[in-house]
Amino acid sequence: MTIPLHAHGACFALGLLLSGGLLVGSFQDEPQPEDLARASHDRMVRELAEIAKDVRERDPFLGEGETPMLLEDLQSTTLPAPRKLWNVLRGLGADALRLGETEEAIRYYSEAMAQIDEMPSRAWPKLKLQTKSELALAYMRWAEIQNCVARPNSRGCILPLDEAALYEDQTASRKAIELLEDVLEIRDDDTSRWLLNLAYMNVGEYPNDVPEKWRIDPKLFVSLVEFPRFDDVAAERGLATVDLSGGSIVDDFNGDGHLDLITSTWDHSGPMHFFVGDGSGSFEDRTLAAGLEGVTGGLNLVQADYDNDGDLDVLVLRGAWLRSLGRIPNSLLRNDGSGRFVDVTYMAGLGEKAYPTQTAAWADYDNDGDLDLYIGNESGAEMTASAQLFQNQGDGTFVDVAIDAGVRNDRFTKGVSWGDYDGDRLPDLYVSNKNMLNRLYHNNGDGTFTDVAKLQRVQGPKASSITWFWDQDNDGALDLFVAGYLPALGPWLESLQGKRTKTELHALYRGDGEGGFQDVAKEVGLTRSDISMGGNFGDIDGDGWLDFYLGTGYPGFEAIVPNSMYWSRRGDHFADVTMAGGFGHIQKGHAVSIADLDGDGDQDIHAQLGGGFPGDASGNALLENPGFGNHWIEVRLIGVRSNHYGIGARIRVTVGEGDQSRDIYRWVSSGGSFGSSPLSQTIGIGSAERVERLEVYWPTTDVTQVLEELEADQRIEITEEVE
């Protein structure tokens, strides 16, 4: 299917009229804005429905693949020779596993095993090894489906598995153990060894019953520092929707002062979900009432008030990883203020070109008071998919100025983030690329940008993914985090065991506030590979220092690796508390949102889980903060001349602890480049019972507002002062 290019402006409105997109009395009548918006919405729903129909044949992740052809071979009256029949059955097993027909996959692989005995004996060892490995992996996934997905609980599928998390149905895990031990007797490889240890964990027999020669050291599943346990309460809160990989946003979408949750799945026919929160941790699914029926798919989500009307809108990103097949339009969902959305993509001028993408970020790069949008697309050898910089025209429409601005990138973009790293009031742009050098676009202030990544030595890691600007050490200067990404289990396991590996590590570039950076990742303890697909930062213990959580994995079914949690020790270094805190969920992790979802002043973690294949779907997780006894203050900004939610503004909080004062800094954003946290900032202030001074710096107007002597543990709104 070909997605048509779309006209815009007056031609677009006329096109809608002529195509029956909306009904008017005559061609001379001026279309009303709401009619144009509804026509835009209906058009998107129709196109997405057509795309979903097209999936079965063409999508390499979600489509049928070679199944029809292989079934035709299998059902032929003339059976193929044993070697060919073995190959047909293996192919059917792989497709069935990918498509979620896991019991069928096990049957096909088992039948393939039987065919080996019909072949010459010299072929047996290699073919049996290969088929047993594949069958064991199918059993591992079947065990996860029967337990993690079908029987979710607060400790389930989180390493290290405690007694409450042991699999109730252990049949599939024990079959996997049997097969993996056979494989390891012939070939001792990292993948089989890792899966064997996991299978023994599933049945409660790790480490004692794992043969010593294949046992992974139990110390690897113990954090070196103590940390309280976060329990997964998604199922009891009704949030454990079973999805594939997708996005998440936590923010207040209906204006009632409580945080809501929106999730998506990259399944082209899969629905978004809109959960309205009551402020106490309970949620109600209002997806249909929100007008989201038919607005399907989306690997990532980002919120912003693009039209400055005081209501948060949503951008849905689509087409990732599909190369030329990924020419699927994104969606801009306009919020009417009550949590009801209409898709205005075409009306707003964002639907003219469709490229595969998974990442975007909002900022007011020209300081005119409204938000502009950068979308990082996936350019490669098969197709050129230049990045897009949409300049907000202030009337609800956008114009792509990427060429003139010099920010096309023309690389496979994995993450983007805005931040004024040199303190000149102008947001700069960092672009993380897959297997190509990254870019740091310095904002020149005249509508153009210059790539200074090489000059500032921030081009790596070359195999990178998510990225964000933050003030990691609370010195008032923005730092830059760039996650490494190598989709391979062997190097990850080597890194976990402390072995030397060629895997690129994360980069943490500490900024000096004047434009310079220094990579301090090793100095602060970031010395391990995480295979990061998503992530975000927040202050989970309320001490004023930013921690971060990473969703991990890659599409392969063998990528059963724990998500990771890094706890900041007063900005000096990070402690890995993945195992101690119950953060090591082994379902594939994507979007991460960190927010106070139950209104108790500490930050919880929502993780959108699920893989890229239908057979790798998972329920999402909500890790509830047990509390640390620290104080906090929540700040929501309301821009007047600046953009309404103050994106890009800097907050400085001064608190006293004992006989010393310290500053805590936050820049208003949704956080990481895969997963979105609230634009209101929940700021931990440790043991301080009051805020001595709170400053808000508005870069659009170059004005600093000051409030003094504020009580702790309260939520405040600060409206921008203008002359």
Side-chain angles (χ1 to χ4, degrees):
M1 189 185 103
T2 301
I3 305 299
L5 297 180
H6 309 295
H8 55 86
C11 293
F12 165 67
L14 179 61
L16 286 174
L17 291 169
L18 295 176
S19 65
L22 52 91
L23 297 176
V24 295
S26 70
F27 290 120
Q28 286 74 39
D29 292 341
E30 182 71 22
Q32 296 301 305
E34 289 311 309
D35 292 329
L36 290 173
R38 176 46 55 184
S40 177
H41 182 98
D42 292 344
R43 183 177 184 176
M44 180 65 73
V45 169
R46 288 195 302 270
E47 290 193 6
L48 293 177
E50 287 299 316
I51 290 166
K53 289 179 184 177
D54 199 43
V55 164
R56 290 178 65 84
E57 295 182 3
R58 305 181 68 192
D59 191 303
F61 292 88
L62 307 176
E64 290 183 330
E66 297 183 347
T67 295
M69 181 184 65
L70 293 171
L71 283 174
E72 187 176 330
D73 288 344
L74 188 64
Q75 295 163 1
S76 171
T77 54
T78 305
L79 288 177
R83 179 66 177 258
K84 183 177 180 181
L85 183 56
W86 167 82
N87 202 48
V88 167
L89 290 166
R90 281 185 58 249
L92 287 168
D95 274 351
L97 180 62
R98 177 175 57 83
L99 294 172
E101 301 164 357
T102 315
E103 288 181 287
E104 282 291 285
I106 290 171
R107 181 174 67 83
Y108 283 130
Y109 281 129
S110 298
E111 291 178 2
M113 284 286 297
Q115 289 302 312
I116 297 174
D117 293 333
E118 304 298 321
M119 303 179 202
S121 59
R122 65 179 180 275
W124 291 358
K126 181 178 179 180
L127 300 187
K128 281 189 175 181
L129 183 69
Q130 187 173 357
T131 312
K132 280 187 177 182
S133 295
E134 294 164 342
L135 180 57
L137 193 56
Y139 273 118
M140 289 292 290
R141 182 55 193 161
W142 185 231
E144 290 179 301
I145 291 171
Q146 289 179 306
N147 295 277
C148 300
V149 181
R151 298 180 174 94
N153 67 63
S154 63
R155 304 280 176 120
C157 274
I158 297 173
L159 298 185
L161 300 184
D162 60 18
E163 189 172 343
L166 299 183
Y167 285 7
E168 294 182 38
D169 189 332
Q170 299 185 354
T171 305
S173 292
R174 294 193 180 278
K175 286 293 296 183
I177 288 171
E178 177 185 332
L179 291 163
L180 289 166
E181 289 185 345
D182 286 350
V183 169
L184 285 164
E185 287 291 357
I186 301 172
R187 181 193 65 201
D188 188 352
D189 66 280
D190 286 332
T191 297
S192 298
R193 184 188 289 244
W194 172 250
L195 295 177
L196 178 68
N197 281 263
L198 286 182
Y200 270 108
M201 287 186 198
N202 295 344
V203 299
E205 296 175 2
Y206 171 88
N208 295 338
D209 291 352
V210 182
E212 185 175 357
K213 56 186 175 180
W214 301 318
R215 185 185 304 147
I216 291 177
D217 191 344
K219 292 180 181 178
L220 299 180
F221 303 100
V222 179
S223 296
L224 298 179
V225 297
E226 293 184 2
F227 198 83
R229 179 90 183 198
F230 283 52
D231 282 336
D232 180 6
V233 298
E236 64 186 73
R237 303 287 170 81
L239 300 177
T241 55
V242 177
D243 294 312
L244 303 184
S245 54
S248 71
I249 305 172
V250 173
D251 219 316
D252 178 10
F253 288 98
N254 62 358
D256 65 356
H258 306 312
L259 294 177
D260 312 307
L261 171 67
I262 299 180
T263 65
S264 68
T265 171
W266 90 321
D267 182 348
H268 305 306
S269 59
M272 297 177 64
H273 292 281
F274 178 43
F275 298 97
V276 174
D278 67 359
S280 68
S282 295
F283 294 85
E284 179 184 351
D285 190 339
R286 295 189 190 170
T287 303
L288 295 182
L292 294 175
E293 185 175 11
V295 183
T296 55
L299 186 58
N300 200 0
L301 305 171
V302 191
Q303 83 275 33
D305 181 7
Y306 81 94
D307 52 1
N308 268 342
D309 64 355
D311 310 317
L312 279 173
D313 313 298
V314 175
L315 179 72
V316 185
L317 300 163
R318 300 189 179 98
W321 297 109
L322 298 179
R323 301 187 294 276
S324 60
L325 294 178
R327 292 181 178 271
I328 303 172
N330 301 317
S331 281
L332 179 62
L333 305 178
R334 190 184 69 196
N335 184 359
D336 70 359
S338 68
R340 184 170 179 82
F341 300 88
V342 61
D343 192 316
V344 297
T345 306
Y346 301 126
M347 179 181 173
L350 296 182
E352 183 175 346
K353 295 180 180 179
Y355 294 125
T357 183
Q358 59 182 289
T359 187
W362 298 87
D364 183 4
Y365 82 87
D366 50 7
N367 269 342
D368 64 355
D370 49 38
L371 290 171
D372 311 298
L373 172 65
Y374 187 82
I375 299 179
N377 296 311
E378 298 178 351
S379 197
E382 184 177 328
M383 66 176 293
T384 298
S386 301
Q388 297 157 296
L389 175 60
F390 289 103
Q391 185 183 54
N392 195 325
Q393 302 302 290
D395 60 359
T397 67
F398 295 84
V399 173
D400 184 2
V401 298
I403 294 176
D404 291 339
V407 293
R408 291 182 52 172
N409 190 36
D410 287 329
R411 295 175 181 176
F412 194 111
T413 313
K414 288 287 292 175
V416 299
S417 183
W418 293 94
D420 178 12
Y421 71 89
D422 56 355
D424 63 358
R425 296 178 49 218
L426 299 168
D428 309 295
L429 177 65
Y430 191 81
V431 181
S432 163
N433 296 305
K434 176 179 178 285
N435 297 330
M436 300 186 78
L437 296 177
N438 303 327
R439 298 190 190 271
L440 175 60
Y441 288 113
H442 177 261
N443 190 335
N444 298 323
D446 59 0
T448 68
F449 293 76
T450 301
D451 181 8
V452 296
K454 183 176 181 180
L455 176 68
Q456 301 298 347
R457 299 181 181 178
V458 293
Q459 291 180 294
K462 187 175 180 181
S464 60
S465 58
I466 56 172
T467 183
W468 58 68
F469 282 103
W470 60 343
D471 187 356
Q472 174 267 329
D473 54 355
N474 268 332
D475 65 352
L478 278 175
D479 311 306
L480 176 63
F481 175 78
V482 192
Y485 180 75
L486 177 64
L489 194 57
W492 173 83
L493 187 56
E494 290 174 351
S495 176
L496 180 68
Q497 295 171 325
K499 298 178 181 178
R500 295 189 63 179
T501 174
K502 295 181 180 179
T503 304
E504 289 181 288
L505 303 178
H506 306 308
L508 176 58
Y509 298 111
R510 181 165 289 165
D512 62 11
E514 298 178 356
F517 290 97
Q518 179 184 3
D519 189 356
V520 296
K522 291 183 179 179
E523 288 89 327
V524 301
L526 301 181
T527 58
R528 209 185 73 201
S529 169
D530 287 289
I531 323 182
S532 314
M533 296 192 293
N536 218 321
F537 58 88
D539 181 7
I540 61 170
D541 61 342
D543 66 351
W545 306 91
L546 290 170
D547 319 294
F548 68 100
Y549 185 68
L550 299 176
T552 62
Y554 59 90
F557 283 93
E558 76 280 3
I560 309 174
V561 298
N563 296 335
S564 301
M565 183 76 224
Y566 290 95
W567 181 33
S568 177
R569 309 308 295 124
R570 300 187 68 82
D572 178 68
H573 68 280
F574 289 95
D576 183 344
V577 294
T578 300
M579 301 301 169
F583 300 105
H585 210 298
I586 57 175
Q587 297 300 290
K588 292 184 174 64
H590 285 85
V592 174
S593 303
I594 301 181
D596 178 12
L597 281 161
D598 50 9
D600 60 0
D602 50 43
Q603 294 186 313
D604 313 295
I605 300 174
H606 181 269
Q608 203 281 353
L609 305 174
F613 302 128
D616 216 359
S618 173
N620 298 326
L622 174 57
L623 303 176
E624 185 174 43
N625 196 320
F628 290 78
N630 284 324
H631 296 287
W632 54 275
I633 189 165
E634 182 181 321
V635 181
R636 180 191 171 190
L637 301 185
I638 302 176
V640 178
R641 288 179 56 190
S642 302
N643 69 87
H644 185 85
Y645 280 81
I647 288 177
R650 186 192 70 201
I651 301 171
R652 176 182 180 181
V653 174
T654 303
V655 297
E657 290 180 309
D659 58 355
Q660 293 185 332
S661 292
R662 65 180 175 113
D663 293 327
I664 302 167
Y665 291 89
R666 296 290 183 271
W667 272 257
V668 177
S669 76
S670 59
S673 53
F674 210 121
S676 297
S677 299
L679 296 177
S680 59
Q681 302 295 301
T682 299
I683 304 171
I685 58 175
S687 62
E689 296 181 353
R690 62 192 303 103
V691 171
E692 296 176 353
R693 180 181 174 93
L694 190 152
E695 294 180 1
V696 178
Y697 175 68
W698 302 88
T700 297
T701 57
D702 197 21
V703 169
T704 300
Q705 283 179 246
V706 178
L707 289 78
E708 295 183 326
E709 299 301 326
L710 301 172
E711 293 294 329
D713 305 331
Q714 66 166 319
R715 295 172 173 86
I716 63 172
E717 288 187 351
I718 301 175
T719 300
E720 181 182 17
E721 292 180 351
V722 295
E723 295 181 359

